[in-house]
Amino acid sequence: MSTNGATQRQWSMAGTESSPGSRLRALLNGPEPAVLMGAHDGLSARVAAEAGFPALWASGLCISTALGVRDSDEASWTELLDMAARVVEASGLPVLVDGDTGHGNFNTARRFTARAERIGAAGVCLEDKLFPKMNSFVGDGHELAPIGEFCGKIAACREVLVDPEFVVVARIEALIAGAGLEEALRRAEAYRQAGADAIFIHSRKSTVKEIALFAEEWRSRLPLVIAPTTYHATPMKEYVRLGISGVIWANQSMRASLAAMREACRSLRRDGPVAVEAGIASLDELFSLMKYQKLAEDEKRYGEEASGIAGLVTAREPRS
Ligand code: SPV
Ligand code: MG
């Protein structure tokens, strides 16, 4: 039986109303793993939506990068959520917001979560490290939060939600910290009991092996989400076999834009504007993505000239 089949029964499905949370749940319960594309601002959100991704990941690493700071709690949580709000608004898609450690204790975590729900996100993902955290791919000093403390954070976040369908994902950093498979499983079970809706098991190995071992032991107790940044060469059918519910392409869009901006800046400085023109988006492409044409149509519909109302209105009520 697939994970998605198993989890379908565990989760109450959305009724006729489809909140962002229920849309994300439906995707995670689908027959294939849901693919969440990383986004870091309104533009990257629109580009991902245009490419057809069904859901987005508001990446802490990429939003921090877009803000010009490091993914080590250098941006404040309100700065991160302001950008996540742009991602939500620009895409219209269900967005899972990277909540890092919850930016402190249970209280900051639940305030962050409540605000994430208010900006229209579909869920938050909290990771079991200590504040201030460091990006999981940097260095070896990844200290794990005590299990009880992190369970308290999850429970506190669940309790502030207005929409019970809003998704709270618990992210396990035990494999990143080198604490081993048993510790990762122990934590996942504790977070499940504390009220998490899904488990994000993170790995920075170049193969899927440790994720596979985890998934085989976990046996679909809750949906599993992964971010195969380093083991990206794994075929999707392996994730299907392992019963993975969500695959996050966390940072490819940001890395693509970094490479493209760098190339354009260097080439323009070195060789002049003619050299770059063929390789960059045209203004027409930009205007089309941002729907400038629709604005012109709306101007015809709602603009002063169009309404025609002013000319018809007299100062007094017409006499009958
Ligand atoms: C992020 O995108 O900010 C993440 C995923 O947390 S990773 O950078 O892969 O840890
Ligand atoms: Mg992050």
Side-chain angles (χ1 to χ4, degrees), residues 36-40 57 59 61-62 65 135 137 202 227-230 248-258:
L36 286 76
M37 185 63 191
H40 50 271
W57 163 253
S59 158
L61 168 64
C62 300
T65 307
N135 181 270
F137 295 108
H202 204 16
T229 300
T230 46
I248 299 173
W249 298 119
N251 48 47
Q252 282 80 1
S253 193
M254 165 55 78
R255 287 159 57 206
S257 63
L258 168 60

Side-chain angles (χ1 to χ4, degrees), residues 3 10 109 126 131 193 245:
T3 305
Q10 288 166 13
L126 300 174
F131 177 91
Q193 290 182 23
S245 297

